[in-house]
Amino acid sequence: MILEDIGHEALSFVGGVGDLALFGIRVLGSIPATRGLFRRALRAVHEVGIRCLPVVAIVGLFTGIVLGLEGYHTLARLGSESVLGSLVLLSLVRELGPVLAALMIIGQSGSALAAELGIQRNSEQIDALGTMGINALGFLAAPRLIASIFVYPILTLAFNASGIIGGAISGCLVMGLDPGVYRTSAEGALGSGDLAECLVKSAVFGVLTVAICMHQGYTAHLRVGVSGARSVSLSTTRAVVLACVTVLAADALITSAFL
Amino acid sequence: MKSSSRPLLKVSGLRKAFGDHVVLARIDLSVPRGTIVSVLGRSGAGKSVFLKCLAGLIVPDAGQILLDGRSSGTSGGQRTPSGPRASFLFQGNALLDSLTAFENVALPLAQTTSLSPDEIVSRAEGALDRLGLGAFGRHYPSQLSGGMQKRVALARALVTEPEIVLFDEPTAGLDPLSRNAVFELIVRLRQDLGFTAVIVTHDVVEALEASDRVALLDQGHIRFEGDPESFMASRDPMVSDLRDSAGALARHVAGITGVTPLAGRFLT
Ligand SMILES: Nc1ncnc2c1ncn2[C@@H]1O[C@H](COP(=O)(O)OP(=O)(O)O)[C@@H](O)[C@H]1O
Ligand SMILES: [Mg+2]
């Protein structure tokens, strides 16, 4: 019984990956014939950026504060508090920044994206585009996918910046580390590979999660046994869960590739 | 090779089932160029499914749809650029809710034609003006009443100067006055712009008043097809049922609003 369930899950997972890949290919294929793509992509960058910046900055700040506190205590036991800046910065840039920023963007914007496309599907707005001779994927999905390549790294950098400040708040203001020491340690910490890893990760997370969220919304009408508002809510939930899991799985893969 | 005797739209042997549920069993229908054909049927008869097959939004199981003699090269609702220009008015309007009324109307021009931006603006504004919406271009669909949304959808459907327009219950869900206004608009615009139309409706009065031919869809077949006069004369029990209920309704509506019943021509 359990084996059968696992088998079913595995099969539907493989099928889901195939559907998603096909969806991605169709979005890419729609790009050449789409007009005003650049303008729409720019607007999407702006929209997602504005919508997510506050929450990303706040979560970054708290993450930095916790890193500063925990890091200071651990390092103090070894007598090496002076490298707190490096610890905070490297943790943020290589790991926490891309992952946590992506999770926050999924919650703040990916869910909305899935819901929006699901509603547009339900109210026949997507069909309407088709009857007007407009490629709905080119019009609705392609700009968002292109925007994701830029907006995730930008927001991740913002996350890192406010995390560094958070680390300084707890490390220097609370624990009393000299700000100059914190700064010197942070400045010397980054190798060129670290920043590359950060940007590659966040761009990959962006493309994957935005594709997943759009795919779930776009295919809301294909859900068996549900329709209307229920299909939109299911699509949204599923989009968020799948996207979050994908971020962590992709993180493991990319990290092992860079190390 | 345009022959005036060839119907603009010819449907033969159209069949569509969802699982075991046969919605359209075998539909044959011809729509001559320049005419308005109304397809009547109760709700759930498959009128929307039929129209969506014509628009290429639903892929039929069998049968042929010829637009101007060519197999309508549509798949998944994506219109091929070669065929005659067709527009679809959705039962629920299907306006893009993130765009203003003006942007909705301008959209098909901006995305599918090579008109200059100035030309697009003037055409879209012209279409809105013609439908009495000149002052509402900057409103979003959610800020407009149902009747106004319907008119925006009409403007969007007609702004591309289509050769054939498919209307799915253009007046359903509107109050009686908006209904008359929208229907009279369709008839008037048809005179001005000269398109061919298929109007799906469950309103017998409208169908008789506005169209050149009437078809009755029932149980997956076209049960009756003819001009309004022969519809009025038909002895088919379902047709006479519809006629009677329409007559009663028309008198009722006239009594309430004092407006001459639309179908006065036929129902006296
Ligand atoms: N996508 C679909 N899947 C399954 N059944 C459908 C679908 N679309 C329509 N139907 C069924 O087809 C029948 C006709 O629907 P419709 O064409 O919308 O009726 P109407 O004549 O009121 O427009 C209904 O019984 C409906 O349940
Ligand atoms: Mg219908």
Side-chain angles (χ1 to χ4, degrees):
Chain A
M1 271 307 276
I2 292 179
L3 275 183
E4 202 173 293
D5 282 351
I6 293 176
H8 266 292
E9 279 292 315
L11 275 183
S12 77
F13 175 76
V14 172
V17 172
D19 285 348
L20 180 66
L22 207 63
F23 177 78
I25 290 168
R26 285 174 56 209
V27 175
L28 293 181
S30 73
I31 287 177
T34 301
R35 301 198 188 164
L37 189 64
F38 182 71
R39 190 171 39 81
R40 293 181 64 80
L42 215 60
R43 194 185 305 160
V45 169
H46 181 247
E47 235 169 57
V48 177
I50 297 284
R51 173 182 258 180
C52 295
L53 189 60
V55 67
V56 163
I58 289 170
V59 172
L61 192 72
F62 283 120
T63 305
I65 289 175
V66 172
L67 274 177
L69 285 175
E70 291 280 7
Y72 187 90
H73 278 290
T74 313
L75 291 172
R77 264 186 250 166
L78 309 168
S80 42
E81 325 66 292
S82 59
V83 296
L84 183 67
S86 305
L87 178 89
V88 170
L89 188 60
L90 282 179
S91 314
L92 285 170
V93 167
R94 298 190 50 146
E95 206 53 49
L96 295 173
V99 171
L100 290 179
L103 295 182
M104 296 322 297
I105 303 170
I106 292 167
Q108 183 76 6
S109 161
S111 55
L113 191 53
E116 187 178 330
L117 283 170
I119 288 169
Q120 288 178 321
R121 169 60 78 189
N122 264 339
S123 56
E124 299 184 314
Q125 294 176 42
I126 291 176
D127 288 339
L129 286 170
T131 63
M132 288 187 273
I134 300 170
N135 186 321
L137 287 176
F139 187 73
L140 297 172
R144 266 97 171 224
L145 199 64
I146 292 172
S148 71
I149 302 174
F150 302 101
V151 79
Y152 275 62
I154 292 170
L155 286 167
T156 299
L157 292 179
F159 183 99
N160 294 344
S162 77
I164 276 292
I165 295 168
I169 289 173
S170 58
C172 306
L173 285 184
V174 180
M175 306 310 296
L177 183 71
D178 178 48
V181 173
Y182 180 81
R183 189 161 164 185
T184 322
S185 153
E187 272 169 4
L190 278 191
S192 60
D194 298 324
L195 200 59
E197 183 180 344
C198 173
L199 296 178
V200 167
K201 272 185 178 176
S202 55
V204 171
F205 295 166
V207 170
L208 286 176
T209 59
V210 165
I212 287 170
C213 292
M214 292 194 302
H215 179 236
Q216 290 298 320
Y218 196 80
T219 55
H221 63 307
L222 299 179
R223 257 166 220 297
V224 222
V226 289
S227 58
R230 190 110 188 86
S231 72
V232 176
S233 76
L234 270 179
S235 298
T236 308
T237 312
R238 189 124 184 96
V240 169
V241 172
L242 277 178
C244 291
V245 171
T246 302
V247 164
L248 296 171
D251 185 48
L253 280 177
I254 300 174
T255 305
S256 64
F258 266 92
L259 281 180
Chain B
M1 252 218 9
K2 263 190 188 166
S3 136
S4 55
S5 61
R6 183 171 68 198
L8 183 58
L9 173 69
K10 184 163 170 48
V11 179
S12 39
L14 187 69
R15 182 191 153 85
K16 179 69 196 178
F18 295 101
D20 297 339
H21 180 190
V22 179
V23 178
L24 304 176
R26 192 185 160 79
I27 304 284
D28 300 291
L29 189 71
S30 283
V31 180
R33 190 179 286 278
T35 58
I36 294 187
V37 174
S38 284
V39 178
L40 281 165
R42 325 171 192 267
S43 39
K47 304 183 296 296
S48 294
V49 171
F50 173 62
L51 219 51
K52 284 179 184 169
C53 286
L54 299 188
L57 290 169
I58 293 181
V59 182
D61 301 335
Q64 202 180 29
I65 299 168
L66 293 178
L67 258 176
D68 204 13
R70 268 172 296 193
S71 179
S72 77
T74 54
S75 66
Q78 208 59 54
R79 211 178 64 217
T80 50
S82 57
R85 292 187 307 277
S87 278
F88 193 104
L89 185 74
F90 284 81
Q91 191 167 354
N93 300 328
L95 295 171
L96 293 177
D97 46 23
S98 56
L99 302 182
T100 63
F102 171 81
E103 288 167 337
N104 263 288
V105 176
L107 183 67
L109 296 177
Q111 289 284 324
T112 64
T113 68
S114 48
L115 296 172
S116 72
D118 288 346
E119 183 67 21
I120 290 174
V121 169
S122 86
R123 285 199 194 191
E125 279 176 351
L128 283 170
D129 279 343
R130 197 158 48 220
L131 291 164
L133 290 163
F136 297 95
R138 289 163 166 277
H139 287 58
Y140 285 91
S142 59
Q143 298 168 316
L144 299 172
S145 72
M148 288 158 100
Q149 289 180 17
K150 185 65 77 184
R151 281 185 278 156
V152 175
L154 256 173
R156 183 177 72 177
L158 299 178
V159 75
T160 49
E161 299 179 354
E163 288 163 73
I164 182 162
V165 189
L166 310 173
F167 296 94
D168 195 352
E169 311 233 9
T171 59
L174 298 182
D175 64 89
L177 289 178
S178 310
R179 284 167 80 98
N180 288 357
V182 165
F183 223 85
E184 276 159 20
L185 212 56
I186 292 176
V187 174
R188 205 186 73 220
L189 288 170
R190 202 273 296 240
Q191 282 161 3
D192 295 353
L193 306 174
F195 51 77
T196 305
V198 179
I199 303 179
V200 147
T201 177
H202 60 247
D203 191 313
V204 183
V205 181
E206 288 172 355
L208 291 174
E209 177 67 17
S211 42
D212 306 304
R213 294 190 79 75
V214 180
L216 177 59
L217 176 63
D218 183 48
Q219 316 240 337
H221 295 272
I222 298 289
R223 180 172 179 144
F224 169 91
E225 209 259 311
D227 55 23
E229 283 77 11
S230 57
F231 185 87
M232 292 311 290
S234 167
R235 289 180 197 282
D236 184 303
M238 191 174 169
V239 171
S240 55
D241 265 6
L242 277 168
R243 233 166 23 210
D244 295 347
S245 64
L249 183 69
R251 280 189 296 278
H252 186 57
V253 170
I256 292 171
T257 63
V259 173
T260 321
L262 263 175
R265 219 168 26 143
F266 302 108
L267 297 171
T268 42

